[in-house]
């Protein structure tokens, strides 16, 4: 199926999502990008899923505790959808319509990968939930950070120190391998929206690749001066 182009009203902010498996380094890169955009006077907010709004943060605790898993894959997906619904209506849409750029750590591709490919929730159910929660809202750009599973799992373990793994970190290597494949498929199926970035490189090099992806899409090709074209 052909990739549907993003419809964006004039003056609306850009919606950029970050995706990837455990330990792919999303939060570091989001922070670096937000700092760079803010320095260029592009008003930017950083948010995350599950969570990002008071209501959705309550649901985040529930799903990451493993409570959602006990309910079964479809009910767990409904919890993610409920969180997204609140987050989109109370944070993402209002920011975009004020011209603010939104950088979001995970969005609907996470549901496609984790609950769809891994949890075997059917595309029909996922489509129905997307219609309700996000409607026409599609990211203008999705950065998918790709790392081999062993690297990502090691980084995630180092990050949590002696702490217990959460609901998804606790899954086995095969789960994480399939997750990586799911993201590679998403990147291949929507090449205009998605950019796959090798996240094994050092953080500065990854940040440069991310910046290049934004420049190609959103800013005048010959300049790094983003303020004029934002
Ligand atoms: P988080 O601690 O934010 O993980 P990470 O640093 O890897 O982003 O936990 C979010 C977890 O929830 C993560 O393992 C992915 C999972 N998730 C889903 O399964 N479905 C979803 O729709 C979303 C948004 C997240």
């Amino acid at each position: 199926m052909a990739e549907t182009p993003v419809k964006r009203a004039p003056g609306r902010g850009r919606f950029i999502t970050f995706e990837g498996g455990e330990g792919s380094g999303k939060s570091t890169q989001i922070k670096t990008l937000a700092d760079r955009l803010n320095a260029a006077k592009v008003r930017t907010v950083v948010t995350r899923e599950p969570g990002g709004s008071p209501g959705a943060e309550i649901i985040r605790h529930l799903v990451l505790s493993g409570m959602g898993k006990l309910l079964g894959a479809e009910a767990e997906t409904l919890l993610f959808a409920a969180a997204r619904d609140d987050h989109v209506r109370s944070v993402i849409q209002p920011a975009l319509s004020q011209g603010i750029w939104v950088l979001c750590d995970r969005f609907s591709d996470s549901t496609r990968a984790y609950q769809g490919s891994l949890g075997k929730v059917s595309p029909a159910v996922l489509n129905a939930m997307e219609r309700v929660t996000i409607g026409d809202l599609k990211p203008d750009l999705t950065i998918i950070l790709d790392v081999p599973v062993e690297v990502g799992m090691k980084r995630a373990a180092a990050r949590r120190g002696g702490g217990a793994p959460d609901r998804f970190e606790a899954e086995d290597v095969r789960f994480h391998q399939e997750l990586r494949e799911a993201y590679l498929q998403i990147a291949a199926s929507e090449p205009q929206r998605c950019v796959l970035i090798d996240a094994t490189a050092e953080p500065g090099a990854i940040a440069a690749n991310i910046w290049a992806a934004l420049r190609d899409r959103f800013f005048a090709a010959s300049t790094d001066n983003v303020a004029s074209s934002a």
Side-chain angles (χ1 to χ4, degrees):
M1 207 174 33
E3 188 176 352
T4 346
V6 178
K7 289 186 220 121
R8 190 168 57 83
R12 175 185 169 272
R14 264 62 159 190
F15 181 34
I16 303 173
T17 58
F18 283 72
E19 297 280 357
E22 312 299 317
S24 55
K26 291 181 282 88
S27 23
T28 308
Q29 291 302 328
I30 291 172
K31 187 175 180 317
T32 305
L33 179 59
D35 289 348
R36 191 160 183 182
L37 286 169
N38 282 318
K41 306 230 174 331
V42 176
R43 284 193 303 158
T44 305
V45 296
V46 172
T47 187
R48 68 166 179 191
E49 289 206 350
S53 61
E57 288 289 330
I58 294 170
I59 301 175
R60 176 184 174 90
H61 285 295
L62 205 63
V63 280
L64 294 189
S65 72
M67 174 65 204
K69 186 179 182 181
L70 299 175
L71 304 175
E74 288 194 350
E76 189 178 37
T77 309
L78 284 169
L79 290 174
F80 281 110
R84 180 159 304 131
D85 189 60
D86 188 58
H87 185 216
V88 165
R89 280 183 300 114
S90 61
V91 174
I92 299 177
Q93 292 281 28
L96 293 174
S97 47
Q98 289 170 58
I100 298 171
W101 291 35
V102 176
L103 307 186
C104 189
D105 188 342
R106 299 194 178 283
F107 194 61
S108 51
D109 293 309
S110 285
T111 309
R112 293 261 162 201
Y114 283 80
Q115 282 67 53
S117 300
L118 277 301
K120 306 282 176 261
V121 173
S122 75
V125 170
L126 297 181
N127 289 341
M129 286 187 201
E130 279 186 11
R131 267 200 306 282
V132 175
T133 56
I134 65 179
D136 283 342
L137 176 71
K138 201 174 169 184
D140 296 294
L141 171 66
T142 296
I143 303 287
I144 300 181
L145 295 179
D146 179 54
V147 276
V149 169
E150 318 77 65
V151 177
M153 288 180 87
K154 249 192 220 150
R155 283 185 188 166
R159 183 181 61 186
R160 66 177 178 264
D166 71 26
R167 148 83 177 92
F168 293 98
E169 287 167 347
E171 296 284 355
D172 63 15
V173 174
R174 205 168 127 203
F175 176 99
H176 293 285
Q177 191 60 50
E178 286 177 27
L179 182 67
R180 186 180 185 205
E181 296 298 326
Y183 274 122
L184 294 177
Q185 269 179 27
I186 290 172
S189 65
E190 291 189 66
Q192 292 185 28
R193 172 174 68 89
C194 301
V195 175
L196 186 71
I197 293 204
D198 173 5
T200 55
E202 58 92 21
I206 300 170
N209 287 335
I210 293 173
W211 188 251
L214 265 80
R215 202 184 43 217
D216 291 350
R217 280 167 176 73
F218 306 135
F219 312 135
S222 60
T223 174
D224 271 355
N225 177 4
V226 299
S228 56
S229 48

